[in-house]
Amino acid sequence: MLTTTSAPDHDLVAGLDTPLHVLREDGTRRPDATLDPLLDDVDLELLTSLYLDMAVVRAIDDEAVALQRQGELGLWPPLRGQEAAQVGLGRALPTTDFLFTSYRENALAWCRGVGPGEMLAVWRGTTLSGWDPFAHHMATPQVIIGAQTHHAVGYAMATQAQGKDDLAVACFGDGALSQGDTNEAMVFAASFRAPVLFFCQNNHYAISEPVDVQATVPIALRPTGFGIPSLRVDGNDVLAVRAASLLAAQHIRAGKGPMFIEAVTYRLGPHTTSDDPTRYREEKELEHWRRRCPVGRLERHLEQLGASVDDLRTEAEQRSGEATTAMQEAVAALPRPAPESMFENVLATEHPGLLRQREQFRAFTDSLAPEQTEGASA
């Protein structure tokens, strides 16, 4: 099988038959000629850091689901099961590389230093955005499926024109490959050799539709049709994802154009908190993927290296508790915006249509005010 390590241009795909991985499900390390050269810096300290990241992110995700069930959030898109894919990418790239994500990449937001209040505000409905994209080099979540791929390619082409070394990263799920936007973005990226990484988390379901309904062949083959080299990795192996991300970044920064990573993972929870996955998934399938849990896999690997798992769990619980407490406090402190503020920052300049809508809204709210009886004080 061909690999991308010596790819001159665009005609290679690696990990097609079996996703590239370096950690087996039992936590033992296995050799991989493609990924091993990118893992020379892996030591106990790095492994511990990755483990704690994934453990805290899982706790944050669980707490957000609980807050939604309590009526504190309008919606939440869980990422349980996809921690390794996101943390592996997030801890591979410098913070100057700009991320363009969908609504499920909250682990990447954590890696970029986004605070609990910033992360939850949009799901509570108190803001139209959430955080300052330029403060974290991460665009706020895109709900329109695949739209962020255009944003990433446009940003990458701009940095290229300015002679900068930064990358743009477009993160999306398997369902986005069925969207025209994603395919159009790959056409532009390939044609202009834009410095962009397409990062697909194949979590096996686009809401309720299984991936094999949309892709009868591995997703990693799709970008090669546009002339973009691809890596297919085990998305539940944080070391494999980190190494693949480093390899892709090397390729792109060398001026060889865009690259694509398919991280094969699984969404253990619902699509969002409004979804009922029991209607389309069987318990047998879930149990199979629970055994491949990315957090447990790395924990077993650390144990084999002689690390104290009990101490790691204790530290993870402490950090998780601090993070979830901060989330609870942040939600309670989020200010309630004035209803009319929905008309602010919609357009850069005033527009007659928007002004008309604002006036109609004012008239409607005024009509709901209780009528004052004659002689009542003002």
Side-chain angles (χ1 to χ4, degrees), residues 45-350:
E45 181 180 0
L46 176 61
L47 292 169
T48 299
S49 176
L50 294 172
Y51 172 81
L52 291 173
D53 271 336
M54 290 196 293
V56 173
V57 162
R58 177 164 290 189
I60 287 174
D61 191 60
D62 290 346
E63 180 63 24
V65 171
L67 288 170
Q68 192 281 330
R69 298 308 190 205
Q70 295 163 16
E72 299 291 347
L73 303 178
L75 190 73
W76 182 257
L79 62 85
R80 176 177 272 263
Q82 298 180 224
E83 296 90 354
Q86 295 187 27
V87 170
L89 172 67
R91 294 308 187 198
L93 303 178
T95 55
T96 51
D97 289 339
F98 215 105
L99 308 178
F100 296 84
T101 73
S102 74
Y103 42 78
R104 203 181 304 278
E105 278 73 45
N106 293 298
L108 280 172
W110 164 261
C111 291
R112 285 299 175 92
V114 174
E118 296 173 307
M119 199 180 296
L120 299 179
V122 70
W123 301 111
R124 189 171 171 84
T126 63
T127 180
L128 297 176
S129 181
W131 59 80
D132 180 352
F134 296 101
H136 301 283
H137 286 91
M138 180 175 181
T140 48
Q142 177 58 255
V143 176
I144 300 173
I145 306 300
Q148 69 275 17
T149 57
H150 279 305
H151 306 158
V153 174
Y155 183 91
M157 292 172 66
T159 59
Q160 184 182 52
Q162 294 168 354
K164 296 181 179 179
D165 191 42
D166 300 333
L167 308 183
V169 183
C171 299
F172 47 90
D174 48 284
L177 266 297
S178 295
Q179 292 291 113
D181 283 1
T182 306
N183 292 274
E184 292 160 8
M186 286 195 286
V187 170
F188 267 86
S191 298
F192 293 95
R193 301 178 73 83
V196 59
L197 170 60
F198 294 97
F199 188 82
C200 175
Q201 292 172 83
N202 176 4
N203 67 14
H204 283 74
Y205 283 93
I207 309 183
S208 59
E209 290 296 332
V211 66
D212 56 10
V213 173
Q214 302 180 85
T216 57
V217 298
I219 284 175
L221 279 176
R222 293 270 188 96
T224 62
F226 297 102
I228 300 175
S230 178
L231 292 169
R232 190 169 191 250
V233 301
D234 185 338
N236 285 13
D237 179 350
V238 67
L239 291 183
V241 176
R242 181 176 178 272
S245 301
L246 290 170
L247 177 57
Q250 284 184 2
H251 173 98
I252 297 168
R253 286 191 221 281
K256 298 179 180 179
M259 203 159 166
F260 188 104
I261 293 176
E262 177 193 356
V264 182
T265 182
Y266 191 81
R267 189 196 76 214
L268 289 172
H271 174 71
T272 68
T273 47
S274 65
D275 174 40
D276 178 10
T278 63
R279 298 180 62 184
Y280 55 84
R281 294 195 312 202
E282 297 182 359
E283 181 61 29
K284 183 179 179 181
E285 178 180 301
L286 276 171
E287 186 55 37
H288 167 75
W289 283 97
R290 288 192 189 106
R291 291 194 298 270
R292 307 185 69 185
C293 168
V295 181
R297 186 186 300 193
L298 184 54
E299 184 178 287
R300 289 188 288 272
H301 180 60
L302 282 162
E303 186 174 26
Q304 292 168 16
L305 294 178
S308 172
V309 173
D310 289 338
D311 290 345
L312 281 173
R313 288 174 179 167
T314 298
E315 185 172 357
E317 288 175 5
Q318 179 182 341
R319 295 193 185 190
S320 297
E322 293 171 354
T324 54
T325 297
M327 291 176 71
Q328 295 163 6
E329 294 173 349
V331 165
L334 287 172
R336 184 186 295 270
E340 199 171 314
S341 66
M342 74 173 78
F343 296 97
E344 299 173 2
N345 303 314
V346 176
L347 299 172
T349 57
E350 288 189 347

